[in-house]
Amino acid sequence: MVDVTHGGPTSGASTGVAPGFEIGELDLYHPKSWVTKYVFSQDAKVIAIQYGLTAMAIGLVALVLSWLMRMQLAFPGLLPFIDADHYYQFITMHGMIMVVYLLTALFLGGFGNYLIPLMLGARDMMFPYLNMLSYWIYLLAVLVLAAGFFVPGGPTGAGWTLYPPQAILGNTPGHQWGIIVMLVSLMLFIIGFTMGGLNYVVTVLQGRTRGMTLMRMPLTIWGIFTATVMALLAFPALFVGAVMMLFDRLLGTSFFMPAIVEMGEQTAYGGGSPILFQHLFWFFGHPEVYIVALPAFGIVSDLISTHARKNIFGYRMMVWAIVGIGALSFVVWAHHMYVSGMNPGFGFFFATTTLIIAIPTALKVYNWVLTLWRGDIHFTLPMLFALGFIVTFLNGGLTGLFLGNVVVDVPLSDTMFVVAHFHMVMGVAPILVIFGAIYHWYPKITGRMLDTTLGKIHFWVTFLGAYLIFFPMHYLGLLGVPRRYFEMGETAFVPPSAATLNVFITITALVVGAAQMLFLFNLAWSLRHGREAGGNPWRATTLEWQTPETPPAHGNWGAERPTVYRWAYDYSVPGAAEDFLPQNQPGPDPVVPGHAIAEGAR
């Protein structure tokens, strides 16, 4: 039996006549005006671009905030408007924007919306109206977050983790309105994501074209799909925590607030547990790392295979590694809480699970390297960023092994070492993938190529600059330089060289930030003046490059959706006329060395 609209032959055969459709075509909404085509659009491709532009816009705000923080650390007092309150507000907003409103929105809302229908041979998401609604709720969440800059007292300065009781007590910046705005914004974001996330899951499970079995899906889709399922399970913990803290702040409940004295006076709170919020936050927070990382893993796999002209090594192993990482990420959250006074037995358990999750992650790195081994590597811009990601993620992961160990983490926990590690893994690495993905799929989105010279300048300044920023930061952490300090002052255990290093890091950060303006210029300039790309400039096998038109029209596939005959990685196949075989190209499988192994993926 075959679900011909949504699945593929259960036999896994690569040839033969595909059955007819059991279920009719998706009933698409056809826009009747410019507003319904480009503003309130139900086309997943337009919604993806809306997500991307909104995320990049709020990401630029976070970039400016990071510049201001670095200026304060390197040149205390140079910018007189930055006092202690503003500094902590900038930290909080920078962290929350980058982790949630930029990275999550770009990978799932941006790339998820654009690639899932195209890579699976679907005409659109299964629920287009719900998809449109998810973007507008995300936009509302971003606007509410940005409104925090304009409310009395400014945004919250509780740190991006929003730990109580500090977050809602007086004398914390933004304790009046800032924390309320932040919590409401997070709740809106989660509501909007849930709408989109359910859409992604249903489309992957029910919207695939004929012949597109699960084990023929590109790894990009596996990464986005697994991350979406994780987010649907993890975000409710943050949602519940936000609601409970909002009640503590507005209604005087004591979910997280213990009996506490503030400014010499006993507050009305009593009986709450601040540690409970930490568990709720990090039950979301650590899966969030992989909600961002798994789409990045999938995208990098596809970039490497395409630009090395070689089939991905160990496809099934890569799929199960993605799924395994997703499952294990829910049992490691408390390694963020070693300094909270947890029982040593729990510390041992979470240290062990943290080391175990490194195994499937390492398998992915080995498979990437083996895919590159003896490949016909083209050092295109997407490949440069993919290689930069592998090196950066490996470096960041190695410092994660330090921090996953209780006895090492406790003395390093409140130092700049943690800031450096977190930015390498959660900041630089996924952003390199985002850049690589944009350089790779921009020709499909616009029909134009991005300028290669500007792109190479952008890559080398970004890649080398990131290392010049965060490698010295590890050293500062080992010296004992604390994080979250507004200024060091005369600190006996911090040598004068640390101040010099802070100046160097800040100047480098300003240069790297300016290089991103070059990238934005390239995006805008190439839209009109870029070289015409054609339908498949990278000679790729996956379905999004086989559309009848570039950019793809509404409905993606013209009169008839494609039929899939093979997996997504038939590159440099001996006996084939060209060095790639598209997934929708019929015909017998060429003879491949080690065919019995590769057949499992077909």
Side-chain angles (χ1 to χ4, degrees):
M1 190 69 175
V2 179
D3 180 356
V4 291
T5 298
H6 308 312
T10 55
S11 67
S14 298
T15 60
V17 179
F21 284 110
E22 290 177 356
I23 300 174
E25 287 277 14
L26 182 68
D27 187 17
L28 293 177
Y29 172 82
H30 296 282
K32 298 175 176 60
S33 67
W34 186 90
V35 172
T36 53
K37 185 173 183 178
Y38 293 110
V39 182
F40 296 103
S41 175
Q42 296 185 33
D43 187 334
K45 299 182 294 297
V46 177
I47 294 170
I49 294 168
Q50 290 175 324
Y51 263 109
L53 293 176
T54 306
M56 285 194 286
I58 196 67
L60 288 175
V61 174
L63 175 65
V64 173
L65 294 177
S66 71
W67 281 346
L68 295 174
M69 288 186 289
R70 288 305 323 171
M71 290 296 291
Q72 170 59 29
L73 289 175
F75 310 105
L78 181 64
L79 301 177
F81 65 89
I82 304 179
D83 57 16
D85 283 2
H86 285 127
Y87 181 79
Y88 295 120
Q89 289 169 326
F90 295 165
I91 284 181
T92 305
M93 295 294 281
H94 168 80
M96 193 62 80
I97 288 170
M98 294 299 287
V99 171
V100 176
Y101 297 85
L102 174 71
L103 292 174
T104 307
L106 260 181
F107 275 116
L108 299 183
F111 293 116
N113 264 303
Y114 201 88
L115 296 176
I116 287 174
L118 283 168
M119 282 188 154
L120 297 181
R123 293 207 178 276
D124 209 313
M125 289 292 184
M126 294 301 289
F127 308 112
Y129 182 82
L130 195 66
N131 204 24
M132 176 193 74
L133 205 57
S134 75
Y135 166 71
W136 285 99
I137 294 178
Y138 164 66
L139 178 61
L140 178 62
V142 169
L143 295 175
V144 171
L145 181 79
F149 288 107
F150 306 101
V151 297
T156 179
W160 80 276
T161 52
L162 306 179
Y163 281 178
Q166 175 188 343
I168 58 179
L169 287 179
N171 295 318
T172 298
H175 73 276
Q176 307 100 319
W177 283 96
I179 186 65
I180 296 171
V181 167
M182 173 68 78
L183 295 172
V184 170
S185 175
L186 284 172
M187 291 158 60
L188 287 169
F189 179 90
I190 295 167
I191 291 168
F193 167 77
T194 303
M195 293 178 176
L198 291 171
N199 220 342
Y200 309 156
V201 169
V202 173
T203 304
V204 170
L205 295 179
Q206 296 293 313
R208 306 188 307 276
T209 192
R210 289 169 294 181
M212 180 62 81
T213 61
L214 289 174
M215 283 298 170
R216 285 177 175 172
M217 293 196 311
L219 288 167
T220 293
I221 301 301
W222 271 109
I224 294 171
F225 172 68
T226 308
T228 302
V229 173
M230 290 169 57
L232 290 171
L233 296 173
F235 272 122
L238 180 63
F239 186 89
V240 168
V243 171
M244 293 161 74
M245 190 189 290
L246 203 59
F247 285 175
D248 281 3
R249 169 67 183 82
L250 295 177
L251 304 181
T253 57
S254 295
F255 290 110
F256 305 130
M257 298 298 289
I260 193 168
V261 174
E262 180 183 8
M263 301 297 289
E265 294 189 12
Q266 183 74 38
T267 64
Y269 297 113
S273 171
I275 299 297
L276 173 61
F277 179 83
Q278 293 190 30
H279 280 291
L280 290 171
F281 182 88
W282 288 116
F283 187 81
F284 144 79
H286 197 81
E288 168 66 12
V289 172
Y290 290 101
I291 288 166
V292 169
L294 291 184
F297 291 169
I299 289 170
V300 162
S301 302
D302 285 353
L303 297 188
I304 286 174
S305 182
T306 300
H307 296 274
R309 314 309 295 166
K310 192 168 173 221
N311 61 287
I312 198 76
F313 184 89
Y315 173 86
R316 280 181 177 268
M317 188 193 304
M318 296 286 264
V319 169
W320 288 111
I322 286 174
V323 174
I325 290 168
L328 286 169
S329 70
F330 283 96
V331 292
V332 299
W333 78 88
H335 67 210
H336 296 274
M337 298 168 55
Y338 288 150
V339 294
S340 67
M342 71 169 60
N343 185 294
F346 285 114
F348 175 78
F349 171 80
F350 286 107
T352 304
T353 56
T354 300
L355 296 178
I356 290 172
I357 203 173
I359 296 171
T361 309
L363 285 176
K364 298 194 75 62
V365 176
Y366 295 143
N367 284 13
W368 290 328
V369 173
L370 290 169
T371 301
L372 291 167
W373 177 252
R374 303 186 71 178
D376 180 15
I377 298 174
H378 294 60
F379 287 105
T380 58
L381 289 169
M383 177 60 98
L384 289 175
F385 279 100
L387 296 175
F389 163 80
I390 294 174
V391 174
T392 304
F393 190 81
L394 180 61
N395 282 321
L398 290 175
T399 57
L401 295 177
F402 285 72
L403 296 173
N405 198 315
V406 183
V407 295
V408 180
D409 178 79
V410 170
L412 288 178
S413 181
D414 279 324
T415 70
M416 295 299 282
F417 191 93
V418 171
V419 178
H421 158 75
F422 186 75
H423 279 80
M424 290 293 277
V425 171
M426 191 67 179
V428 178
I431 285 176
L432 288 175
V433 178
I434 286 170
F435 287 139
I438 291 173
Y439 282 109
H440 182 74
W441 279 294
Y442 186 89
K444 175 54 60 176
I445 297 169
T446 67
R448 302 275 182 174
M449 302 293 289
L450 286 162
D451 184 83
T452 303
T453 303
L454 292 178
K456 287 184 176 178
I457 295 171
H458 173 230
F459 168 74
W460 287 111
V461 174
T462 301
F463 178 67
L464 296 178
Y467 276 76
L468 292 175
I469 292 167
F470 294 112
F471 260 24
M473 209 177 282
H474 289 87
Y475 172 70
L476 289 177
L478 293 172
L479 285 179
V481 175
R483 58 189 173 121
R484 303 195 184 105
Y485 272 42
F486 165 61
E487 57 184 347
M488 293 296 110
E490 298 295 327
T491 310
F493 60 87
V494 177
S497 61
T500 306
L501 207 51
N502 258 332
V503 172
F504 172 79
I505 291 172
T506 296
I507 293 172
T508 309
L510 294 172
V511 172
V512 172
Q516 310 320 308
M517 304 304 111
L518 193 66
F519 168 71
L520 295 177
F521 170 78
N522 197 357
L523 286 181
W525 185 86
S526 298
L527 193 61
R528 181 178 294 271
H529 303 288
R531 177 169 54 87
E532 289 192 13
N536 189 1
W538 308 122
R539 296 164 59 81
T541 62
T542 45
L543 288 184
E544 79 273 21
W545 297 104
Q546 320 309 324
T547 56
E549 299 176 56
T550 298
H554 187 51
N556 296 337
W557 301 105
E560 187 174 348
R561 292 165 65 193
T563 299
V564 171
Y565 297 92
R566 61 188 73 251
W567 71 329
Y569 301 101
D570 269 336
Y571 289 104
S572 303
V573 177
E578 296 191 70
D579 73 340
F580 72 105
L581 294 174
Q583 284 189 278
N584 62 338
Q585 178 174 314
D589 289 329
V591 177
V592 184
H595 180 68
I597 297 174
E599 181 62 32
R602 293 185 167 85

